[in-house]
Amino acid sequence: MLKDLPLKIVEYLVEEIPPYSGLLMIKVDNRGVVKNWKGNPKEYLGGKLTENESIEELVPALNGICPFDKGSVKLTKLQLKNKYCDIHVVKENGHYWIIFIDQTREVDSLKSLLQNMNEEQLKGRGNKTNSKEMPFRHLDKLNFATFLRKDDGSFSLQPNTPGWIKKHAFYNKASGSIDPISTFPFLEIFILEVEEFWKENKESYVVSETWSETFAGKDHYLRAYATNLNNSNYLFLKSFIREGVEEQNLLQAFRDSSLAFDKLAKTEKKLKELLVYKNKFNSIISHDLRAPIAAVLGVVNVLTTDEEEIGKLNEDYQELIYGIKDEMNRLLDYNNKLYHWANLELGNFKLEFETISLDEIIKIATETAREKCNEKNIALTINVEAGLKVRVDKTLFLQALNNLLSNAIKFTPISNSIKITAKKDDDKAFISVVDTGIGMNDDMVKNLFKESTNNTTQGTSGEKGTGLGLGIIKKIIEAHKFKITVKSVPGKGTVFTIEIPESNLA
Amino acid sequence: MLGAFAVGKTSLVQRFVNSIFSEKYQTTIGVKIDQKLVQTGDTEVNLMLWDIHGEDNYQKVKPSYIMGASGYFVVVDVTREETLGVGLNLQKMANEMSKGAPFIVLINKTDLPQSEWYISETSINELKDKGLEIILTSAKEGTGVEEAFSRLTELMINK
């Protein structure tokens, strides 16, 4: 649940908050309006939480503390609906995270500690002499083992020893003693810090980092504390199993997601390398295939244009030769597209802009398309606004127009019509290829420019496609920083429109 | 045991002390202390192993942990290039705090396919050329683990 927290909050959770057995975190703005939360609000606040609620209404203890910009807020052992919590408020990027730290178990232990102390007071046993002699005698209820440092530097374990330390192999049952320093190697280092602290004789305390050891068949998370009282030096050890696991789970979640992210980043890098490799491979192969395809096509062209020679063959062979010619033309077209596609993907091109009249470039494109239109008896009309000039890479832009027109012819039934228009509107130029073909549904339009060759559709006269044509158009248009849009109605036709910005109009 | 998080410090200790290995990554909180009695020649040595939590943005290694160290391992994950930098930075700090205690760099997780290695053999050789003692280990398969602990014990005794 805590994976998406900002780093500052994670650091705060790891470093600043006491051992806990649960967390609720609510993100609010400066006025205390709830924006987001992590954890289970019902468990802590007794009810549902909704966005834009006021935190002051939900948690009356925070009344008057909002706005939080007066400084950091730390409230301890507050009784909420179902739990006792410490509440910390941490500022992060203009918002505030209110952290509810479950301390119910701690408070329950404290309750029994206070209960014992009060009962002793009531029975008259809690006199001053007694509290001076054994000031920390109830801390075992909180799982603390208390050690008094003797003049010779050794430590004596104080009465009311918690059960966990009695289970340690080094605990001497006969004398009820254990040497903390030789038992817990971690203390060899911590004690150096503590000795310095004791020398200063301050009325505060120092706390160690957490460490863990396995004894009596259990993993124990341990923490050491040291303080001064009445000129005596005390060392405390506390074992907290469950809280240690909670902290571990929290860190584990962050690190797991960090490792998963690294793995994804590495996979992405590898995939990109593979894509480049694939495109290079395609580029080289399609380049090298051009010559042999052209050679075969050349021979077939000679055969089919020499009427005398072709006339010597019977009809079956003639059909075979024409079939070879068609297939070789298709192969050449496919190979050319593959070559252009691979090079566009690799970025192996540099746009060479020149100013050209739209009328001229559209004329060239339509001349190329005319033959195919005639084959399907498609009427091709042109309507270009006079005087429009654009700055484009002529070769590439022409290729895009050719592909658009080929696409329109492919999906327009025999004896229908295609229109190509160009006009200026609102400082931009628009070129539209309008067909009266089979059209597409919304899903097809949505996936039209996706880089996949799996979704090729046969044309109205059985024309086969490469699936690369539209991808090439998109690459060329994007390279020019132009836009292309599609509108289509199934059964009625499709309109592709290229939008040329003012900066490319001459 | 020093190193970035999830490089396999705890796994190496568990392999050495208890001869076990778990695939599941369990982050270490604070310091986990284990011990093992080892025989080096005629000498019996009780190794006190401080498995210190991994270094990252969330947990920084406290220099005081290293103060009393007689020797240390810097553990690196062969599949995560950045763990080498983290390890070498920790080594600088450890060298200062331990007053030049002996150390060995363990390149761990070498059981994983070489195609996943991000620390190349060239980088390993470059580190060796700089005078670092390096052992390739796999806590999973146990490769190099006994050798690493024996070698460090030897270095510590002979220092």
Side-chain angles (χ1 to χ4, degrees), chain A residues 152-171:
Chain A
D152 63 0
S154 64
F155 290 89
S156 86
L157 180 62
Q158 298 298 285
N160 297 345
T161 312
W164 65 266
I165 205 162
K166 286 182 186 168
K167 287 175 191 155
H168 200 288
F170 288 5
Y171 177 73

Side-chain angles (χ1 to χ4, degrees), chain A residues 276-288:
Chain A
V276 171
Y277 178 78
K278 178 205 80 178
N279 289 326
K280 273 187 185 163
F281 179 80
N282 282 341
S283 168
I284 292 166
I285 294 294
S286 50
H287 178 268
D288 291 355

Side-chain angles (χ1 to χ4, degrees), chain A residues 131-144:
Chain A
S131 15
K132 259 193 180 174
E133 277 171 2
M134 291 172 57
F136 301 111
R137 63 191 179 284
H138 293 296
L139 282 183
D140 62 305
K141 303 278 189 307
L142 298 176
N143 250 353
F144 280 97

